[in-house]
Amino acid sequence: MKKLSPLQIERLKYQPKLPASLAKGINSLELVEGDATQSVRDQEQIKALFKNTYGKPVVTFNSSSASTPSSVRNVGVILSGGQAPGGHNVIAGLYDALKQANPANKLYGFLGGPSGIIDGKYVEFNDEFIDAYRNTGGFDIIGSGRTKLETEEQFQKSLEVCKKLNISAVVIIGGDDSNTNAALLAEWFVKNNAGIQVIGCPKTIDGDLKNEQIEISFGFDTATKTYAELIGNIQRDANSAKKYWHFIKIMGRSASHVALEAALQTQPNITLISEEVEEKKMSLESIINYMTDIIVKRADMGKNFGIAIIPEGLIEFIPEMKSMIANLNDIMAALENDPDFVNATTIREKFDIVENRLDPENAKVYNSLPALIKGQLLADRDPHGNVQVSKIETEKLLIEMITTRLDELKSQGEYIGKFSAQSHFFGYEGRCAFPSNFDADYCYSLGFNAFALINFGLTGYLSSIRNLTKPATEWVAGGVPLTMMMNMEKRHGEFKPVIQKALVRLDGPVFKALEECREDWALNDRYLFPGAVQYFGPCEVCDITTCTLQLERAKELASV
Ligand code: FBP
């Protein structure tokens, strides 16, 4: 018998809450259809690409006294992309709904992400299997992967595997890219009369898969609370020892939602927001000046310590870096099979090859960087051909440049302090935490609801649970057509249909909340200490949602 920790044992017993409509039972639902929908932009192009799945209505579920008969169905599920707390509960909710609808239904899990459906690698779930993973973090129940499911050949192979297992619906749990692929697969299955439905579920700690219909992606709640706990602990340490500046990079890829939320929960001295850097066209030098100014002012007050939060994707938003990285991405794509580059034995040789190919302005920017960062910028690209920002140590770059700047100021007699910095990167620490009660409930509801969408024969929809700042019983269950969230964007030099990524809005209530306080937080220590995520105890402690969700929902409700 596998040994479990006391918290594991208690969490396995937790019964996630469902919206009242779903709690009545999967076979007692009524489908309510809204009006026909349009994509967020580029309507004509998206419509032409999704002839069979475009324009469907947003749907919601009400409980009904009539009982919906359910035929026997086999369903397959895929976990796609980066881990996010609560993924296991999406599968548990899906499994429970499917068995409740008809005990003869079967749920298959494809192994290792989207490649599982292409290669026919799968497991069949049963009660014992699912019960061991309820309310736990991680994606280890079936594993995840970043294979892009997008080619005709991959779709054909997926069809063959589904036919073999008599699968009539596939649930893809993923972020914007995975759900874009879910939309393509749904369209392809309809076009080819495959009789297989595709439903997506909104996952990513990054919080950038949201729009008017999707209030938040799952995992954001737990991950941000975990980072906030760690930042709070470091703030306490800094405030005790009073000798270090802590530079903390926070995961979240391009968007700064995670950094912003973590900052609102902890109130650090400095918070950089990538979207603001881009909007204000702040150069690396002006960022260094902004941070140095706060460090100098605090030193004048006798405070040689502080906390700076840096979003993971910052480097790509600094105008001169953005241009250099775009140039570098093209060069790296061209050099992929270049024997001189691939076989270069020293990093110096690689630098030379790249520098010679960069445009002169970009070469200047590249050369101005420390060797550590220059090397990291040459690391393997992600499946979209982009730099893997989690591998670029921006926090160390900033420390190095600020140290140089402070030395200059010291020699001019303009700085009297002592700068000693520690760097941190919080990312993987938060992606597999035990889901908070919010994520446990939200994910279970998303999975349960995904089966409701399947049961009503829908395809090309994203499972949606709304009204999330209210108690779970008041949540609204339904579905949003994936095509509604799409627009055309350039990928690998070609315009492609993709789900629009939500970046931090500088005119939105969340950024405004930071903007109002940050000057005060910079010099006067207003640190908050959120502590660890709580699973048992008063609901004001255990069931509260993020500041982001609360502020955005309050604004939305005020405008109704
Ligand atoms: P998803 O968008 O797939 O949810 O992944 C998000 C993320 O956690 C980013 O925040 C981070 O930049 C990236 O994954 C790291 O990827 P990897 O796990 O491949 O290192």
Side-chain angles (χ1 to χ4, degrees):
M1 181 80 174
K2 211 168 153 190
K3 193 166 176 224
L4 301 178
S5 73
L7 187 65
Q8 265 177 295
I9 295 168
E10 284 310 311
R11 284 312 273 170
L12 289 177
K13 295 182 207 157
Y14 178 75
Q15 180 52 53
K17 301 177 206 80
L18 280 172
S21 55
L22 299 181
K24 189 116 190 279
I26 194 75
N27 292 331
S28 309
L29 288 174
E30 177 197 25
L31 181 81
V32 182
E33 290 190 358
D35 296 331
T37 59
Q38 298 246 349
S39 59
V40 274
R41 270 191 1 216
D42 309 315
Q43 289 84 6
E44 286 315 310
Q45 286 116 303
I46 304 285
K47 191 174 176 183
L49 290 165
F50 294 87
K51 292 197 176 69
N52 300 285
T53 47
Y54 187 83
K56 299 268 163 66
V58 170
V59 298
T60 46
F61 291 116
N62 285 341
S63 57
S64 149
S65 44
S67 158
T68 336
S70 179
S71 52
V72 176
R73 289 172 195 277
N74 291 353
V75 175
V77 63
I78 298 170
L79 287 165
S80 181
Q83 284 69 252
H88 290 165
N89 268 26
V90 180
I91 297 182
L94 175 64
Y95 177 83
D96 288 353
L98 165 144
K99 289 290 178 188
Q100 201 186 85
N102 191 329
N105 287 345
K106 286 183 186 166
L107 181 63
Y108 293 99
F110 289 110
L111 299 173
S115 61
I117 192 170
I118 302 167
D119 303 334
K121 297 207 169 117
Y122 61 89
V123 287
E124 186 187 335
F125 292 112
N126 58 27
D127 289 355
E128 200 187 344
F129 195 154
I130 293 285
D131 287 350
Y133 288 92
R134 289 182 189 272
N135 310 305
T136 56
F139 279 7
D140 44 333
I141 188 168
I142 47 175
S144 186
R146 291 198 183 276
T147 302
K148 283 172 65 91
L149 194 54
E150 60 179 356
T151 67
E152 181 81 18
E153 191 195 349
Q154 291 173 328
F155 293 165
Q156 193 63 49
K157 282 188 174 171
S158 307
L159 174 61
E160 282 156 27
V161 170
C162 288
K163 274 191 176 155
K164 191 177 115 200
L165 296 171
N166 203 15
I167 283 176
S168 62
V170 177
V171 175
I172 299 181
I173 303 170
D176 52 338
D177 287 319
S178 310
N179 278 298
T180 294
N181 295 339
L184 292 169
L185 186 64
E187 175 69 21
W188 191 88
F189 278 153
V190 180
K191 194 172 106 195
N192 291 282
N193 293 316
I196 302 172
Q197 300 157 247
V198 181
I199 300 294
C201 280
K203 170 236 71 166
T204 178
I205 64 154
D206 300 351
D208 57 3
L209 174 50
K210 65 177 169 185
N211 47 52
E212 281 178 13
Q213 306 297 328
I214 300 296
E215 291 174 10
I216 195 66
S217 54
F218 79 76
F220 178 77
D221 188 90
T222 314
T224 52
K225 284 173 180 163
T226 306
Y227 303 140
E229 180 210 348
L230 299 175
I231 296 166
N233 294 349
I234 288 183
Q235 291 185 153
R236 199 64 108 176
D237 197 290
N239 207 23
S240 307
K242 303 198 190 298
K243 63 175 180 182
Y244 293 129
W245 262 91
H246 292 271
F247 279 49
I248 309 174
K249 185 175 77 169
I250 307 280
M251 204 175 238
R253 208 188 287 274
S254 308
S256 306
H257 299 293
V258 180
L260 179 54
E261 172 63 29
L264 292 177
Q265 287 188 33
T266 55
Q267 306 189 169
N269 306 105
I270 297 177
T271 306
L272 300 179
I273 297 297
S274 305
E275 290 83 343
E276 183 183 24
V277 166
E278 182 168 52
E279 171 86 15
K280 294 187 175 162
K281 299 192 173 41
M282 289 172 79
S283 62
L284 184 54
E285 195 187 350
S286 64
I287 295 171
I288 298 299
N289 287 344
Y290 167 71
M291 297 177 87
T292 306
D293 186 51
I294 293 174
I295 292 166
V296 171
K297 283 189 178 136
R298 284 179 65 85
D300 288 345
M301 296 163 82
K303 297 184 200 181
N304 287 306
F305 66 94
I307 308 292
I309 303 290
I310 299 137
E312 186 183 45
L314 176 72
I315 195 155
E316 288 190 312
F317 285 75
I318 303 170
E320 72 266 25
M321 295 287 163
K322 189 175 182 170
S323 150
M324 183 268 289
I325 290 172
N327 194 181
L328 202 55
N329 284 346
D330 292 344
I331 293 170
M332 292 296 286
L335 287 174
E336 209 173 16
N337 300 315
D338 183 298
D340 287 345
F341 186 75
V342 176
N343 302 325
T345 46
T346 65
I347 191 78
R348 186 65 251 172
E349 279 177 55
K350 291 200 174 196
F351 289 168
D352 288 344
I353 296 173
V354 166
E355 277 166 34
N356 286 334
R357 293 181 177 225
L358 279 166
D359 298 343
E361 257 325 287
N362 292 327
K364 223 157 76 194
V365 173
Y366 184 71
N367 275 329
S368 70
L369 296 172
L372 174 81
I373 305 294
K374 280 167 76 177
Q376 288 167 354
L377 283 167
L378 300 187
D380 290 343
R381 270 34 191 172
D382 73 6
H384 309 282
N386 295 325
V387 164
Q388 297 189 54
V389 279
S390 61
K391 293 190 177 158
I392 313 279
E393 294 176 294
T394 326
E395 66 285 16
K396 292 194 178 154
L397 171 68
L398 295 176
I399 290 174
E400 191 169 324
M401 295 184 76
I402 288 171
T403 306
T404 310
R405 181 86 191 100
L406 288 170
D407 285 347
E408 282 165 19
L409 292 175
K410 193 161 251 179
S411 66
Q412 293 156 10
E414 288 174 36
Y415 172 60
I416 49 153
K418 183 173 175 302
F419 180 67
S420 177
Q422 300 279 359
S423 62
H424 312 261
F425 171 35
F426 296 156
Y428 300 97
E429 294 82 348
R431 296 200 314 184
C432 285
F434 277 101
S436 60
N437 286 351
F438 172 82
D439 269 331
D441 297 345
Y442 181 39
C443 291
Y444 187 79
S445 301
L446 283 170
F448 199 97
N449 183 62
F451 188 75
L453 295 167
I454 293 169
N455 220 14
F456 277 92
L458 300 170
T459 191
Y461 274 76
L462 190 65
S463 177
S464 120
I465 303 288
R466 293 177 52 83
N467 210 21
L468 293 171
T469 45
K470 292 278 164 22
T473 48
E474 292 172 42
W475 289 356
V476 178
V480 188
L482 286 162
T483 53
M484 190 181 176
M485 299 177 258
M486 298 182 104
N487 68 166
M488 301 297 288
E489 284 176 27
K490 218 170 180 185
R491 295 282 157 95
H492 289 297
E494 249 182 86
F495 276 99
K496 297 245 166 125
V498 293
I499 291 180
Q500 209 177 40
K501 221 185 235 315
L503 297 179
V504 169
R505 292 186 59 143
L506 301 188
D507 59 353
V510 192
F511 178 74
K512 293 264 176 231
L514 173 80
E515 205 179 25
E516 256 171 43
C517 308
R518 63 181 167 189
E519 251 179 70
D520 176 37
W521 298 351
L523 303 184
N524 308 305
D525 303 332
R526 309 284 189 206
Y527 302 145
L528 291 180
F529 310 105
V533 176
Q534 300 293 310
Y535 302 94
F536 307 100
C539 42
E540 315 79 80
V541 180
C542 302
D543 293 345
I544 41 160
T545 52
T546 56
C547 306
T548 302
L549 192 54
Q550 288 175 45
L551 289 162
E552 283 177 347
R553 284 290 293 151
K555 177 148 191 228
E556 210 179 296
L557 292 173
S559 65
V560 174

